[in-house]
Amino acid sequence: MPLSGFAKAEVLKAMRDRLELATLGDLLRHYPRRYVQRGELTNLRGLSKGEEVTVQAEIKSVTSRSMKNRRGNLVEVVVTDGSGELKLTFFNQRWRANQLQQGMRGLFAGKVDSYHGAMQLSHPHFVLFGDRGGDFFDAESIVEEFTGALMPIYPSTAKAATWSIAQIVRSVLDALGEVPDPIPARVRERRGLLGLREAFEAVHRPESFADVEAARKRFRFEEAFVLQTELARRRSAARQLAARPRVAEEGGLRAAFEARLPFALTDGQRAVGADIEADLARDHPMQRLLQGEVGSGKTVCALRAMLTVVDAGGQAALLAPTEVLAQQHYRSITALLGPLAERGFIGGADDGTRVALLTGGQGTAARRKALLEVASGEAGVVVGTHALLEDKVQFADLGLVVVDEQHRFGVEQRAALTGKAGGVPPHVLVMTATPIPRTVAMTVFGDLEVSTLSELPSGRAPIQTNVVPLAEKPDWIDHVWRRVRQEVGAGRQVYVVCPRIGDDEGAGGAGGEDTDTSDRPVDAEADGTREMTAVVALAAELAEGPLAGLRVELLHGRQPSDAKDAVMRRFAAGEIDVLVATTVIEVGVDVPNASTMVVMDADWFGVSQLHQLRGRVGRGGHPGLCLLVTGAAEGSPARARMDAVASTTDGFELSRIDLEHRREGDVLGADQSGRRSSLRMLAVIRDEKVIAQARTDAAEVVATDPGLRGEPALAEAVAALYDDDRADYLEKT
């Protein structure tokens, strides 16, 4: 229902345009940011420049004077909380000097700015306690309404002040009847939750902080419960789908592959393999997430699953997010299989298969050959990028899809691959190289079963990580390049990673497949005075300067496919000493002789991304070294991230730290949509118990009523998921 009739048109327009509040439902779920009690002054020392604030304070002084450099009058009011101060300025409003008097208390709202180092509000809106004036048409009713109670402070704008929003909310609540509740009564009773109508009253018109907490408890649970209901429905629907069981034959291709492995599988790899094997043998599609530490051997687990399907007469596709990674997977798989990947060729094994590579940047002849091998079924294993989803790509019998986490693999893409599987849904295995806390796994990947690899294969060398703080030690960059020379002199190879390409991309960052910013921290680009290091410029500078005489090459996502592949092959063959690259080498790239990585402007990257990057070194028998070069100042949040990465190699601990530094929308993928996050109360990182309870209750509801016919309010809430940003991350799974 629209909000027209509840407030002036200009206020409603500001609420709609600036706060995205267009309906009664939007308004009722526009929860107060905080609450104040009359007499409890706001801590003015905690204000930040650029912040929209509403403060409760006492007027300390009022002065009025003529301006020096132009005509007009300036009224300056200083308000205080008893320790800190905030200046209020009014231009050409001389009457404010009579209206605002020393000792008065009230609410003052505006955008914080600074002038000569002092925080101030220019032309703030305000309401004075016990005053019929102020700048609000019904100021006294606002204050009296909250006498002896809590006053809600809402996220607001200049033209829709918090007290304006509060008055509209009260009018809506006065006219509001019973509200359909998406949480079934039995669930509310079990969890001790308020009803929806009661919760709206408690959050917007609380008598005490106990009311506020009870309302927040209910809304946190509701957000988790609606999400988990949809995920439970997806799990239920997947179990109803018919899939073709895929069982490896005794002494077949998978057994031959395992016999030629140059290393023993870890206990973790065997346990995960058993889970996957059991899933593939069922008559409904596998939906499993495989997560693990950097270098824990996920690719081998995925390959064993793929060969199980090939053994059973089907095909398996590995979907990678970039051409560089697809090419690396192709090289790794063919190397691991050896003659088993060359059936039909001289020297190939008769009981083997073929591995096809299909990317958008391939030449016409190579692409045509790959398409024929895929369509005929000669290629049992197919590796590719999004090009695998094109209509012209046809499989003979697609039985398994392995998906890299960075690929946005949504419902449409899954439907496209199901169509390529002859209408029978393929089994799906999603791999992630970023360890995921349990709360995020239950939410973002809630319709997938989760397997975890925590044990590293033997032979992995330790990685030492050091921060290079150029803000305090600018000359240390010379030491970095001397260390690179030492490593190359010892026969090793080095990666140098930059955040930008720098050819014709503009100032915004990299192009092509280098632009994944999902892991970028909130404050990564806060310092606009520093230009991020670019691959093209740095490669030339190093080759002509501190690394002159070494074989320096560059790699980035905008290069032609053949050129990227050639560079990686030469680097893997030891023909390149130093590879200056963007994050196209972040995951999957495996060069055992690479011992050192230098990350330029490391504060630009997120914690998990840095952990992934350094996982490219120390993959052979040589100790790894990662140098994080940063201009971030000591004590800054960016520097704290760098220090955290340097302090531990535990990916699960770093994942937790990373998520603590990120906004809720970032965790769930919502910020990528540009819309406001729908999770207003639930904190996915913090509320593990709530999410677990909601998951249990949702599974119970869906088990007895999959179509939610007996719960129309819940069905409506679930349907609303597709009208906002939550659909974005639900579609990833």
PDB file of all heavy atoms in Angstrom, residues 470 497-500 530-534 599-605 610 628-631 642:
ATOM      1  N   LEU A 470      55.487   1.028   2.925  1.00  0.00           N
ATOM      2  CA  LEU A 470      56.138   2.141   2.235  1.00  0.00           C
ATOM      3  C   LEU A 470      55.809   3.492   2.855  1.00  0.00           C
ATOM      4  O   LEU A 470      56.556   4.453   2.659  1.00  0.00           O
ATOM      5  CB  LEU A 470      55.737   2.134   0.757  1.00  0.00           C
ATOM      6  CG  LEU A 470      56.155   0.900  -0.045  1.00  0.00           C
ATOM      7  CD1 LEU A 470      55.848   1.112  -1.520  1.00  0.00           C
ATOM      8  CD2 LEU A 470      57.642   0.595   0.144  1.00  0.00           C
ATOM      9  N   VAL A 497      52.297  -9.062  -8.526  1.00  0.00           N
ATOM     10  CA  VAL A 497      50.872  -8.858  -8.787  1.00  0.00           C
ATOM     11  C   VAL A 497      50.510  -7.389  -8.620  1.00  0.00           C
ATOM     12  O   VAL A 497      50.893  -6.754  -7.631  1.00  0.00           O
ATOM     13  CB  VAL A 497      50.017  -9.716  -7.831  1.00  0.00           C
ATOM     14  CG1 VAL A 497      48.528  -9.479  -8.073  1.00  0.00           C
ATOM     15  CG2 VAL A 497      50.354 -11.192  -8.007  1.00  0.00           C
ATOM     16  N   CYS A 498      49.749  -6.857  -9.570  1.00  0.00           N
ATOM     17  CA  CYS A 498      49.305  -5.459  -9.535  1.00  0.00           C
ATOM     18  C   CYS A 498      47.775  -5.401  -9.633  1.00  0.00           C
ATOM     19  O   CYS A 498      47.156  -6.262 -10.262  1.00  0.00           O
ATOM     20  CB  CYS A 498      49.889  -4.671 -10.709  1.00  0.00           C
ATOM     21  SG  CYS A 498      51.684  -4.725 -10.824  1.00  0.00           S
ATOM     22  N   PRO A 499      47.158  -4.357  -9.084  1.00  0.00           N
ATOM     23  CA  PRO A 499      45.702  -4.256  -9.141  1.00  0.00           C
ATOM     24  C   PRO A 499      45.146  -3.745 -10.462  1.00  0.00           C
ATOM     25  O   PRO A 499      43.951  -3.885 -10.717  1.00  0.00           O
ATOM     26  CB  PRO A 499      45.370  -3.287  -8.004  1.00  0.00           C
ATOM     27  CG  PRO A 499      46.586  -2.464  -7.835  1.00  0.00           C
ATOM     28  CD  PRO A 499      47.745  -3.363  -8.161  1.00  0.00           C
ATOM     29  N   ARG A 500      46.010  -3.134 -11.303  1.00  0.00           N
ATOM     30  CA  ARG A 500      45.517  -2.567 -12.562  1.00  0.00           C
ATOM     31  C   ARG A 500      46.322  -3.094 -13.741  1.00  0.00           C
ATOM     32  O   ARG A 500      47.455  -3.524 -13.594  1.00  0.00           O
ATOM     33  CB  ARG A 500      45.626  -1.041 -12.551  1.00  0.00           C
ATOM     34  CG  ARG A 500      44.783  -0.331 -11.525  1.00  0.00           C
ATOM     35  CD  ARG A 500      45.026   1.177 -11.550  1.00  0.00           C
ATOM     36  NE  ARG A 500      44.794   1.748 -12.857  1.00  0.00           N
ATOM     37  CZ  ARG A 500      45.678   2.458 -13.543  1.00  0.00           C
ATOM     38  NH1 ARG A 500      46.889   2.677 -13.052  1.00  0.00           N
ATOM     39  NH2 ARG A 500      45.383   2.953 -14.713  1.00  0.00           N
ATOM     40  N   ARG A 530      46.682   8.105  -4.013  1.00  0.00           N
ATOM     41  CA  ARG A 530      47.640   7.136  -4.535  1.00  0.00           C
ATOM     42  C   ARG A 530      47.076   6.461  -5.776  1.00  0.00           C
ATOM     43  O   ARG A 530      45.978   5.926  -5.758  1.00  0.00           O
ATOM     44  CB  ARG A 530      47.954   6.060  -3.484  1.00  0.00           C
ATOM     45  CG  ARG A 530      48.809   6.550  -2.352  1.00  0.00           C
ATOM     46  CD  ARG A 530      49.269   5.372  -1.506  1.00  0.00           C
ATOM     47  NE  ARG A 530      48.155   4.729  -0.828  1.00  0.00           N
ATOM     48  CZ  ARG A 530      47.866   3.438  -0.932  1.00  0.00           C
ATOM     49  NH1 ARG A 530      48.581   2.650  -1.699  1.00  0.00           N
ATOM     50  NH2 ARG A 530      46.852   2.914  -0.256  1.00  0.00           N
ATOM     51  N   GLU A 531      47.821   6.494  -6.858  1.00  0.00           N
ATOM     52  CA  GLU A 531      47.412   5.792  -8.063  1.00  0.00           C
ATOM     53  C   GLU A 531      47.869   4.345  -7.964  1.00  0.00           C
ATOM     54  O   GLU A 531      49.020   4.061  -7.647  1.00  0.00           O
ATOM     55  CB  GLU A 531      48.023   6.449  -9.298  1.00  0.00           C
ATOM     56  CG  GLU A 531      47.553   5.803 -10.596  1.00  0.00           C
ATOM     57  CD  GLU A 531      48.068   6.534 -11.819  1.00  0.00           C
ATOM     58  OE1 GLU A 531      48.673   7.609 -11.639  1.00  0.00           O
ATOM     59  OE2 GLU A 531      47.871   6.038 -12.933  1.00  0.00           O
ATOM     60  N   MET A 532      46.959   3.428  -8.234  1.00  0.00           N
ATOM     61  CA  MET A 532      47.287   2.018  -8.102  1.00  0.00           C
ATOM     62  C   MET A 532      48.311   1.595  -9.155  1.00  0.00           C
ATOM     63  O   MET A 532      48.272   2.039 -10.302  1.00  0.00           O
ATOM     64  CB  MET A 532      46.024   1.166  -8.239  1.00  0.00           C
ATOM     65  CG  MET A 532      44.953   1.436  -7.185  1.00  0.00           C
ATOM     66  SD  MET A 532      45.485   1.097  -5.500  1.00  0.00           S
ATOM     67  CE  MET A 532      45.887   2.737  -4.894  1.00  0.00           C
ATOM     68  N   THR A 533      49.216   0.713  -8.768  1.00  0.00           N
ATOM     69  CA  THR A 533      50.270   0.234  -9.657  1.00  0.00           C
ATOM     70  C   THR A 533      49.671  -0.563 -10.809  1.00  0.00           C
ATOM     71  O   THR A 533      48.778  -1.390 -10.607  1.00  0.00           O
ATOM     72  CB  THR A 533      51.253  -0.653  -8.885  1.00  0.00           C
ATOM     73  OG1 THR A 533      51.708   0.054  -7.734  1.00  0.00           O
ATOM     74  CG2 THR A 533      52.437  -1.037  -9.754  1.00  0.00           C
ATOM     75  N   ALA A 534      50.175  -0.329 -12.002  1.00  0.00           N
ATOM     76  CA  ALA A 534      49.660  -0.983 -13.205  1.00  0.00           C
ATOM     77  C   ALA A 534      50.682  -1.966 -13.773  1.00  0.00           C
ATOM     78  O   ALA A 534      51.891  -1.721 -13.740  1.00  0.00           O
ATOM     79  CB  ALA A 534      49.296   0.054 -14.272  1.00  0.00           C
ATOM     80  N   VAL A 599      53.160  -8.506  -3.933  1.00  0.00           N
ATOM     81  CA  VAL A 599      51.840  -7.945  -4.217  1.00  0.00           C
ATOM     82  C   VAL A 599      51.913  -6.435  -4.036  1.00  0.00           C
ATOM     83  O   VAL A 599      52.105  -5.938  -2.918  1.00  0.00           O
ATOM     84  CB  VAL A 599      50.756  -8.536  -3.286  1.00  0.00           C
ATOM     85  CG1 VAL A 599      49.380  -7.978  -3.665  1.00  0.00           C
ATOM     86  CG2 VAL A 599      50.752 -10.054  -3.360  1.00  0.00           C
ATOM     87  N   MET A 600      51.792  -5.700  -5.129  1.00  0.00           N
ATOM     88  CA  MET A 600      51.836  -4.244  -5.078  1.00  0.00           C
ATOM     89  C   MET A 600      50.476  -3.697  -4.654  1.00  0.00           C
ATOM     90  O   MET A 600      49.435  -4.233  -5.024  1.00  0.00           O
ATOM     91  CB  MET A 600      52.223  -3.681  -6.454  1.00  0.00           C
ATOM     92  CG  MET A 600      53.521  -4.243  -7.017  1.00  0.00           C
ATOM     93  SD  MET A 600      54.950  -3.892  -5.963  1.00  0.00           S
ATOM     94  CE  MET A 600      55.022  -2.101  -6.070  1.00  0.00           C
ATOM     95  N   ASP A 601      50.491  -2.619  -3.869  1.00  0.00           N
ATOM     96  CA  ASP A 601      49.243  -2.023  -3.360  1.00  0.00           C
ATOM     97  C   ASP A 601      48.361  -3.104  -2.756  1.00  0.00           C
ATOM     98  O   ASP A 601      47.174  -3.229  -3.057  1.00  0.00           O
ATOM     99  CB  ASP A 601      48.491  -1.287  -4.479  1.00  0.00           C
ATOM    100  CG  ASP A 601      49.302  -0.145  -5.061  1.00  0.00           C
ATOM    101  OD1 ASP A 601      49.790   0.687  -4.270  1.00  0.00           O
ATOM    102  OD2 ASP A 601      49.464  -0.091  -6.291  1.00  0.00           O
ATOM    103  N   ALA A 602      48.959  -3.868  -1.860  1.00  0.00           N
ATOM    104  CA  ALA A 602      48.258  -5.023  -1.287  1.00  0.00           C
ATOM    105  C   ALA A 602      47.008  -4.617  -0.521  1.00  0.00           C
ATOM    106  O   ALA A 602      46.078  -5.416  -0.376  1.00  0.00           O
ATOM    107  CB  ALA A 602      49.208  -5.792  -0.361  1.00  0.00           C
ATOM    108  N   ASP A 603      46.950  -3.366  -0.039  1.00  0.00           N
ATOM    109  CA  ASP A 603      45.764  -2.917   0.695  1.00  0.00           C
ATOM    110  C   ASP A 603      44.542  -2.804  -0.205  1.00  0.00           C
ATOM    111  O   ASP A 603      43.418  -2.673   0.275  1.00  0.00           O
ATOM    112  CB  ASP A 603      46.040  -1.564   1.358  1.00  0.00           C
ATOM    113  CG  ASP A 603      46.645  -0.560   0.388  1.00  0.00           C
ATOM    114  OD1 ASP A 603      47.847  -0.719   0.063  1.00  0.00           O
ATOM    115  OD2 ASP A 603      45.938   0.353  -0.056  1.00  0.00           O
ATOM    116  N   TRP A 604      44.739  -2.855  -1.509  1.00  0.00           N
ATOM    117  CA  TRP A 604      43.623  -2.791  -2.458  1.00  0.00           C
ATOM    118  C   TRP A 604      42.848  -4.103  -2.469  1.00  0.00           C
ATOM    119  O   TRP A 604      41.684  -4.142  -2.848  1.00  0.00           O
ATOM    120  CB  TRP A 604      44.174  -2.488  -3.854  1.00  0.00           C
ATOM    121  CG  TRP A 604      43.152  -2.047  -4.854  1.00  0.00           C
ATOM    122  CD1 TRP A 604      42.756  -0.764  -5.105  1.00  0.00           C
ATOM    123  CD2 TRP A 604      42.422  -2.871  -5.769  1.00  0.00           C
ATOM    124  NE1 TRP A 604      41.825  -0.748  -6.108  1.00  0.00           N
ATOM    125  CE2 TRP A 604      41.602  -2.025  -6.532  1.00  0.00           C
ATOM    126  CE3 TRP A 604      42.372  -4.241  -6.013  1.00  0.00           C
ATOM    127  CZ2 TRP A 604      40.746  -2.505  -7.521  1.00  0.00           C
ATOM    128  CZ3 TRP A 604      41.511  -4.714  -6.996  1.00  0.00           C
ATOM    129  CH2 TRP A 604      40.719  -3.858  -7.741  1.00  0.00           C
ATOM    130  N   PHE A 605      43.492  -5.192  -2.033  1.00  0.00           N
ATOM    131  CA  PHE A 605      42.888  -6.521  -2.092  1.00  0.00           C
ATOM    132  C   PHE A 605      42.302  -6.914  -0.741  1.00  0.00           C
ATOM    133  O   PHE A 605      42.722  -6.428   0.306  1.00  0.00           O
ATOM    134  CB  PHE A 605      43.927  -7.568  -2.517  1.00  0.00           C
ATOM    135  CG  PHE A 605      44.587  -7.272  -3.828  1.00  0.00           C
ATOM    136  CD1 PHE A 605      45.857  -6.717  -3.869  1.00  0.00           C
ATOM    137  CD2 PHE A 605      43.943  -7.540  -5.024  1.00  0.00           C
ATOM    138  CE1 PHE A 605      46.474  -6.432  -5.074  1.00  0.00           C
ATOM    139  CE2 PHE A 605      44.555  -7.257  -6.244  1.00  0.00           C
ATOM    140  CZ  PHE A 605      45.812  -6.702  -6.269  1.00  0.00           C
ATOM    141  N   LEU A 610      44.176 -12.095  -0.876  1.00  0.00           N
ATOM    142  CA  LEU A 610      45.619 -12.152  -0.625  1.00  0.00           C
ATOM    143  C   LEU A 610      46.043 -13.568  -0.249  1.00  0.00           C
ATOM    144  O   LEU A 610      47.103 -14.047  -0.656  1.00  0.00           O
ATOM    145  CB  LEU A 610      46.002 -11.170   0.480  1.00  0.00           C
ATOM    146  CG  LEU A 610      45.912  -9.683   0.119  1.00  0.00           C
ATOM    147  CD1 LEU A 610      46.123  -8.822   1.357  1.00  0.00           C
ATOM    148  CD2 LEU A 610      46.924  -9.322  -0.965  1.00  0.00           C
ATOM    149  N   LEU A 628      53.941  -8.192   0.922  1.00  0.00           N
ATOM    150  CA  LEU A 628      52.764  -7.345   0.736  1.00  0.00           C
ATOM    151  C   LEU A 628      53.208  -5.886   0.787  1.00  0.00           C
ATOM    152  O   LEU A 628      53.474  -5.337   1.860  1.00  0.00           O
ATOM    153  CB  LEU A 628      51.731  -7.629   1.827  1.00  0.00           C
ATOM    154  CG  LEU A 628      51.277  -9.082   1.971  1.00  0.00           C
ATOM    155  CD1 LEU A 628      50.283  -9.224   3.120  1.00  0.00           C
ATOM    156  CD2 LEU A 628      50.669  -9.594   0.662  1.00  0.00           C
ATOM    157  N   VAL A 629      53.298  -5.268  -0.373  1.00  0.00           N
ATOM    158  CA  VAL A 629      53.755  -3.882  -0.472  1.00  0.00           C
ATOM    159  C   VAL A 629      52.537  -2.962  -0.328  1.00  0.00           C
ATOM    160  O   VAL A 629      51.568  -3.075  -1.088  1.00  0.00           O
ATOM    161  CB  VAL A 629      54.451  -3.632  -1.818  1.00  0.00           C
ATOM    162  CG1 VAL A 629      54.914  -2.178  -1.911  1.00  0.00           C
ATOM    163  CG2 VAL A 629      55.624  -4.583  -1.993  1.00  0.00           C
ATOM    164  N   THR A 630      52.563  -2.069   0.640  1.00  0.00           N
ATOM    165  CA  THR A 630      51.401  -1.214   0.896  1.00  0.00           C
ATOM    166  C   THR A 630      51.820   0.192   1.291  1.00  0.00           C
ATOM    167  O   THR A 630      52.839   0.387   1.953  1.00  0.00           O
ATOM    168  CB  THR A 630      50.519  -1.822   2.008  1.00  0.00           C
ATOM    169  OG1 THR A 630      49.447  -0.929   2.305  1.00  0.00           O
ATOM    170  CG2 THR A 630      51.319  -2.067   3.285  1.00  0.00           C
ATOM    171  N   GLY A 631      51.016   1.143   0.889  1.00  0.00           N
ATOM    172  CA  GLY A 631      51.218   2.523   1.316  1.00  0.00           C
ATOM    173  C   GLY A 631      50.284   2.902   2.441  1.00  0.00           C
ATOM    174  O   GLY A 631      50.247   4.068   2.851  1.00  0.00           O
ATOM    175  N   MET A 642      46.530  -6.224   6.349  1.00  0.00           N
ATOM    176  CA  MET A 642      47.829  -6.734   5.906  1.00  0.00           C
ATOM    177  C   MET A 642      48.515  -7.505   7.040  1.00  0.00           C
ATOM    178  O   MET A 642      49.066  -8.584   6.827  1.00  0.00           O
ATOM    179  CB  MET A 642      48.747  -5.580   5.471  1.00  0.00           C
ATOM    180  CG  MET A 642      48.208  -4.667   4.371  1.00  0.00           C
ATOM    181  SD  MET A 642      47.769  -5.520   2.867  1.00  0.00           S
ATOM    182  CE  MET A 642      46.006  -5.710   3.102  1.00  0.00           C
TER     183      MET A 642
END
